Amino acid sequence: MNQKTEKKKAFRMPHVFIILLLIMLFVVILSYIIPSGSYERITDAATGLSVIDPDTFQYVENENPIGFMDYFEAVYNGFVNGATIMGTLFICSGMIYLLEVSGAFGAAINLILKKTKGKEFSVVCIFYTIFVIFGVLGYGEAAYPFYPLAVTIGFALGYDRMVGTALAIIGSTVGFTSGMMNTFTTGVAQQIVGLPLFSGIGFRAVGLAVFYVIGLIGIYAYCRRIRKDPRRSFYSEEYMNQNREDHTSGMENMTVSRALGIIIFLAVIVIQGYGCIRLSWSFPQIAGLYVIMGIILTIIFRFKPNEACQLFCKGAVRVFAAAFAVGLAQSVVVLMNQACIMDTIVHAMATLLENRGAILALLIIFIFVTLFNFLVVSGSGKAVIIMPILQPLGKILGINQQVLVLAYQYGDGITNSFWPASSLVQLSMCGVDYGSWIKFCWKIYLGFIVSAFILVMIAHNMGYGPF
């Protein structure tokens, strides 16, 4: 009786949709507290991007304040704005499901487990590194369809779903934050301040190594902990009821057609990475690539056309909740824009930085970008707002532009998978609740944040330059 009462009283984290709706409500409240303000926008000749003119801020009267219906209409408008990401998510997940149904993934995992029997954590390292590489390439949302696969791998290795989730999310965060070849943040920010694209890559590689080790240590500690005592798993009931055979039994052996399917899949990943880095591909091109893959897989595995379409729909439905969360996250941005408070917040930060020392200014910049990421998830979106202000301030304060970009990159990247607006989308792909995730990862992210600022200080003191 007492146990039932305790279960009833136990706090349960609200659903991802509820949390995002509450964040939207928070923005509405802010719109009536923070005065509206605006910078004039100009087109940057070097990049063609629309950026703010830092000398043109003025408080304005918001002619379209957020009303009762605007809050609800923002859901639809957010879906419209996020349609590209959502559509890509549906298409990629549906096409990847064809490969799952064929047994190719299961056979590949089974083969790896046989080769690494007794060395399960080495497999953890391998897949963790793969997701780090995804992050380095700036995949972001493009890596979401692989998250459920990471959970499956965690199960097959004899761990719980949190381990698989960490492989995907922590790995992607490490690579994305490093900014080595991240077009969406480092690339945009460097172009705005006039630096060569992806310059300073050597120091960013050092940062990647630091974050990589911190993330791996955190994952290793948790793996070791739950192996010693399954009750310490965040999903202990599920974990104690499962065993390794439950997830590896039924996995068939590798065949020629399955091997060919895996090769096609790996080729698609390589082409996707090359296209994003060298050919400036975005979501339409990525989605088109997966459509091609789906057609080839249908031929290889001899699916009937109708059967392939039905399987595609099943695969796409699996990410419905995540796609819906993407739309709600975009709804937050819609309300921020309507409230006209984004520029006001940035102006307040610029005012705070005036007449500050370089070290203190860098700390404020780092903290501001980290906190601002709670409301504005888009790395490139923040860059076009913040970097035009930081550029002249950096010159006044004697801070190298490369150091400013580094501080911005780290402030944006680390909390992308911590603040709810973006992490909830990722967690919904893995079946992990936000409360458990925060309990698992807060020490890892604290390590990321502290080491990131230390790296920024080192970069400043060593005169980290533009090349």
Side-chain angles (χ1 to χ4, degrees):
M1 189 76 174
N2 291 334
Q3 289 181 348
K4 289 183 179 179
T5 304
E6 287 178 6
K7 286 183 179 179
K8 288 181 180 178
K9 291 182 178 179
F11 174 76
R12 292 188 64 184
M13 200 69 183
H15 193 278
V16 51
F17 299 162
I18 296 174
I19 294 175
L20 289 170
L21 288 168
L22 289 175
I23 294 175
M24 290 168 60
L25 185 60
F26 176 63
V27 172
V28 175
I29 295 171
L30 287 181
S31 72
Y32 288 95
I33 298 173
I34 300 174
S36 299
S38 177
Y39 286 101
E40 290 182 11
R41 262 63 176 176
I42 57 175
T43 301
D44 183 76
T47 64
L49 296 171
S50 177
V51 298
I52 66 171
D53 183 342
D55 299 320
T56 60
F57 179 82
Q58 58 182 347
Y59 291 102
V60 297
E61 185 71 28
N62 189 352
E63 298 178 355
N64 185 29
I66 300 174
F68 177 77
M69 282 302 296
D70 291 325
Y71 173 81
F72 301 100
E73 290 173 7
V75 175
Y76 170 81
N77 293 325
F79 276 47
V80 173
N81 290 354
T84 302
I85 298 174
M86 296 165 71
T88 304
L89 196 58
F90 281 130
I91 291 171
C92 292
S93 182
M95 296 306 176
I96 289 174
Y97 189 67
L98 297 178
L99 200 59
E100 289 186 42
V101 170
S102 72
F105 280 143
I109 294 171
N110 196 26
L111 183 63
I112 292 173
L113 291 175
K114 287 179 180 178
K115 297 290 184 182
T116 59
K117 193 172 183 180
K119 300 178 181 178
E120 287 80 4
F121 192 74
S122 63
V123 183
V124 168
C125 294
I126 291 171
F127 284 99
Y128 171 69
T129 303
I130 290 172
F131 279 100
V132 169
I133 294 172
F134 282 169
V136 168
L137 297 176
Y139 271 29
E141 293 91 343
Y144 286 0
F146 303 114
Y147 284 19
L149 176 61
V151 175
T152 301
I153 292 168
F155 283 149
L157 293 172
Y159 298 112
D160 65 2
R161 70 172 56 250
M162 186 63 79
V163 172
T165 302
L167 291 181
I169 297 181
I170 299 293
S172 297
T173 298
V174 166
F176 193 90
T177 301
S178 72
M180 288 180 65
M181 290 179 284
N182 191 335
T183 306
F184 303 104
T185 50
T186 304
V188 172
Q190 286 183 327
Q191 289 179 42
I192 290 173
V193 301
L195 291 173
L197 187 63
F198 300 134
S199 56
I201 196 170
F203 190 85
R204 287 185 173 82
V206 174
L208 173 65
V210 172
F211 298 140
Y212 181 95
V213 171
I214 293 172
L216 189 61
I217 290 174
I219 295 173
Y220 173 75
Y222 182 75
C223 288
R224 186 177 179 184
R225 186 179 83 188
I226 65 172
R227 274 291 176 84
K228 286 186 175 181
D229 185 1
R231 292 172 298 179
R232 299 185 69 185
S233 164
F234 287 107
Y235 292 88
S236 57
E237 185 174 346
E238 177 188 53
Y239 183 46
M240 287 189 289
N241 288 333
Q242 78 180 34
N243 56 59
R244 180 172 172 175
E245 287 69 32
D246 288 336
H247 298 279
T248 58
S249 60
M251 289 186 180
E252 301 182 45
N253 295 323
M254 187 63 73
T255 62
V256 174
S257 60
R258 287 173 181 155
L260 186 57
I262 293 294
I263 292 171
I264 296 296
F265 174 66
L266 294 176
V268 166
I269 293 176
V270 172
I271 294 170
Q272 179 179 342
Y274 179 82
C276 291
I277 296 172
R278 295 293 184 183
L279 305 177
S280 300
W281 279 10
S282 189
F283 293 108
Q285 291 77 24
I286 293 172
L289 182 63
Y290 279 85
V291 171
I292 295 172
M293 183 187 78
I295 294 172
I296 296 174
L297 292 178
T298 299
I299 297 171
I300 291 175
F301 296 113
R302 299 179 180 179
F303 292 128
K304 295 178 181 179
N306 286 351
E307 181 186 9
C309 292
Q310 291 171 351
L311 291 173
F312 169 81
C313 290
K314 288 182 180 180
V317 165
R318 294 189 308 171
V319 297
F320 173 80
F324 200 99
V326 168
L328 287 177
Q330 288 294 318
S331 301
V332 176
V333 178
V334 169
L335 291 173
M336 284 285 290
N337 290 333
Q338 184 177 350
C340 296
I341 60 175
M342 199 179 300
D343 287 4
T344 305
I345 294 172
V346 174
H347 174 69
M349 189 271 291
T351 304
L352 184 64
L353 286 175
E354 289 179 353
N355 303 318
R356 304 287 180 181
I359 301 298
L360 181 58
L362 282 170
L363 177 60
I364 293 172
I365 291 168
F366 182 72
I367 293 174
F368 173 79
V369 176
T370 299
L371 296 177
F372 199 42
N373 205 32
F374 177 84
L375 295 172
V376 183
V377 177
S378 170
S380 56
K382 285 195 297 293
V384 299
I385 298 171
I386 295 174
M387 293 312 298
I389 290 178
L390 295 186
Q391 183 181 23
L393 282 173
K395 293 178 180 178
I396 294 171
L397 298 171
I399 302 174
N400 195 301
Q401 299 296 314
Q402 195 73 270
V403 178
L404 288 175
V405 172
L406 190 71
Y408 171 78
Q409 172 69 36
Y410 288 169
D412 168 76
I414 292 173
T415 52
N416 274 339
S417 51
F418 187 86
W419 295 132
S422 53
S423 65
L424 288 172
V425 180
Q426 302 168 44
L427 294 172
S428 66
M429 302 288 299
C430 304
V432 169
D433 67 275
Y434 186 67
S436 298
W437 173 247
I438 295 301
K439 290 177 184 177
F440 164 77
C441 75
W442 74 268
K443 292 181 181 179
I444 299 174
Y445 280 77
L446 181 61
F448 286 158
I449 291 171
V450 172
S451 60
F453 188 68
I454 292 173
L455 286 166
V456 171
M457 291 298 96
I458 293 173
H460 174 69
N461 290 327
M462 67 180 282
Y464 180 41
F467 302 109

